[in-house]
Amino acid sequence: MNYRHAFHAGNFADVLKHVVLARILTYLARKDGAYRVIDTHAGAGLYDLWSDEAQRTGEWEAGVGAVLRAALPPEAEALLAPWRAALDAANPQGITDGLPRHYPGSPLVAKVLSRPQDRLVCCETEPGVRSALVEVMKGDARAKVLPVDGWQALAAYVPPKERRGVVLVDPPFEQAGEFHRLAEGLKTAHGRWPGGVFALWYPIKDIRAVDAFRREIAHAQIPKTLRIELDIYATRQADRLSGCGMIVVNPPFTLADELRVILNALAPVLAADGKGRVRVGWLMPEH
Ligand SMILES: C[S@@+](CC[C@H](N)C(=O)[O-])C[C@H]1O[C@@H](n2cnc3c(N)ncnc32)[C@H](O)[C@@H]1O
């Protein structure tokens, strides 16, 4: 496997994914009952934006860097506060001039936003990445870091005993057939836990693969399936991400409206053309 998230940490795709995760966790915390986060492809949890990898691509500068430099409308700022809390936790020395030294990955966002009663399961198969994540989660009795195949976890770890929670599925998308695998994984996991929140991230690069994926999910007739997409280029780019999306099953009822506010504010900041395109809507027409 070649994929290393350290090259991409904090880019526009990470911002979208982590803001969505932070809003879901904020909603789940409205009730006292414990929830569980299952992060099937967890990554290292914390990324050094001054590392060789991050500096080589510079992707974070047009992602989290651009967001921190922007003057956003107050209603968008308010909704971004939980994600910003994770950024602050990743940068205990403070963030100067909108330049963070570290960027929190999904397990750290979940760790920061979760309460004492909540639980977190992180699967990561790359030994070096997993060791880094173990270090980030060290001393937190709520969290387990497992050397388990995330695709197996997706089916095997649901429903959790808390019966509330979210499964984040964020694979590297470097193997053929990963869209189909994602759709199949969702169908199986949703069959076992129809009430769970499932958040699936996907790249928008090969538009035919994305269309086929959306059709496959729609065909599965899973109710309450929200589609969230952000394009950062006006025209499709052959060699790079044009955008990215998320499918969220059983989203908090507040999520679609919140994301319209957030993404309409973030799209011009994150987009290469200064505009960007946002789509937030139900996959099944009856919703
Ligand atoms: C896109 S990154 C995850 C980023 C992370 N979710 C975040 O938002 O910070 C994908 C991760 O999945 C790991 N991975 C690849 N195949 C896996 C598998 N079958 N099971 C679990 N982890 C896997 C990779 O090593 C990589 O760290």
Side-chain angles (χ1 to χ4, degrees), residues 193-215:
W193 190 22
V197 181
F198 295 93
L200 280 48
W201 182 90
Y202 57 90
I204 301 180
K205 200 172 191 178
D206 174 353
I207 196 62
R208 279 189 306 185
V210 175
D211 283 342
F213 171 65
R214 282 199 224 101
R215 276 199 305 274

Side-chain angles (χ1 to χ4, degrees), residues 127-189:
V129 176
R130 191 171 58 250
S131 307
L133 180 57
V134 166
E135 214 30 55
V136 170
M137 296 302 191
K138 200 163 73 182
D140 190 334
R142 301 169 306 170
K144 276 194 192 132
V145 177
L146 303 173
V148 167
D149 179 350
W151 295 113
Q152 287 176 10
L154 176 58
Y157 291 1
V158 298
K161 78 172 185 336
E162 294 81 4
R163 300 271 163 174
R164 301 182 69 224
V166 54
V167 184
L168 174 66
V169 192
D170 180 24
F173 278 93
E174 59 174 11
Q175 283 170 12
E178 241 162 346
F179 274 109
H180 177 62
R181 206 171 185 188
L182 194 55
E184 281 298 312
L186 173 65
K187 283 186 243 172
T188 306

Side-chain angles (χ1 to χ4, degrees), residues 2 4-9 11 52-54 56-60:
N2 293 317
R4 290 186 48 207
H5 197 66
F7 286 99
H8 311 293
N11 69 2
D52 260 10
E53 292 98 325
R56 227 182 303 162
T57 65
E59 288 184 19
W60 68 270

Side-chain angles (χ1 to χ4, degrees), residues 21 24-25 28 34-40 106-107 109-111 113-114 118-123 142-144 157 160 162 164-168 193:
L21 177 63
I24 292 171
L25 296 179
L28 287 173
Y35 63 70
R36 183 170 299 216
V37 180
I38 301 170
D39 195 339
T40 61
S106 50
V109 172
K111 177 181 153 99
L113 297 181
S114 296
D118 303 323
R119 296 289 176 270
L120 175 56
V121 175
C122 303
C123 304
R142 301 169 306 170
K144 276 194 192 132
Y157 291 1
E162 294 81 4
R164 301 182 69 224
V166 54
V167 184
L168 174 66
W193 190 22

Side-chain angles (χ1 to χ4, degrees), residues 4-11 14 46-65 100-104:
R4 290 186 48 207
H5 197 66
F7 286 99
H8 311 293
N11 69 2
D14 256 8
L46 183 66
Y47 299 91
D48 182 353
L49 298 177
W50 294 2
S51 69
D52 260 10
E53 292 98 325
Q55 290 292 334
R56 227 182 303 162
T57 65
E59 288 184 19
W60 68 270
E61 290 178 52
V64 62
R101 166 79 197 257
H102 293 108
Y103 185 78

